[in-house]
Amino acid sequence: MNDNIQYLVPQASPLILLIDEQADRLQSMARILGPAGYRLSVAMSGYDARSRVQLISPDLIIMDEEMLQKARFEAGGRLYITDQAVSTPVILMVDRLSAAACEQAFELGAADYAGKPLNPQELISKTAVQILLRRAQASERSLREELQVARELIDMMSVTDSLTSLFNHRGFITLSEQQLKICKRQAKPALLAYMDIDGLQRVNEQFGHLVGDQLLIDVSTIIRKAFRDSDIIARMGGDEFAVFLVDSEEKTAGLLTERLAMHTERFNSSMARDYKISLSMGIVPCTPEASPSIEELLTMASALMKRNKKSGD
């Protein structure tokens, strides 16, 4: 029998690798399993068996027990090919008159065994069971992966502002507290900037909340451009925004104020809107030797922002 023969059925059907040196037994298994709708590939040598497993990734392996050593399968609770454990289930063909051979099949890590000479009904039923188990395991893995993706999405949604896609208050506090600890441990300075939109309520009253929402989105765009990608940027709620800047010294506060004003002016001059954007900002430092919390920094930056708004700075 040509060991390159494959019995092809629709692509969705399981692929079974048959390993046996006896061509007549391979033919018999093929006549039993082929009409049942399985795709079949065969190997008649240990070398071919090892290469086929790695090449085609079968859903099930059915092999004669005498091929164990020739295929370099090893004992130890699982079946091995070369240096990799076989995750594919294996049905061993054993002498049905030998109880020791049946016990050894499980000791070697086989999923099941079938007796020689072949019993068609036994081979069909045991093959079907292993394929069903394989599919159930694959479905469970897929479900776990989907659940993990869903959890990650929920986690992201819980720390993200749905309108601007910036971090929300919760996300800002969580991430900034972590970064603040790192700054203190590594003796790095940091800054916290707090911003407020001038006149959002007036825009909402005059043009409606949809326009007000667009204003918030526009401001988030401006802030992203004014600060670094590594900075933690958040919409804290309403018309207030905050940025935590790691490894930034107090002397850079003036430069940051200028950058924000520059990007705001560029936006106002280049975009046709029913409003002009104006922001007030307060920036407070966090030196390595100081130990305020993020909440305390937010309070100080908010108070400074309000003073700057009143003074027109």
Side-chain angles (χ1 to χ4, degrees), residues 22-52:
Q22 295 190 22
D24 59 342
R25 193 154 51 216
L26 285 172
Q27 290 278 16
S28 297
M29 286 192 288
R31 283 194 293 268
I32 295 170
L33 298 173
Y38 298 113
R39 291 178 295 147
L40 304 176
S41 181
V42 301
M44 296 184 68
S45 69
Y47 174 81
D48 195 20
R50 296 193 301 275
S51 62
R52 285 296 177 85

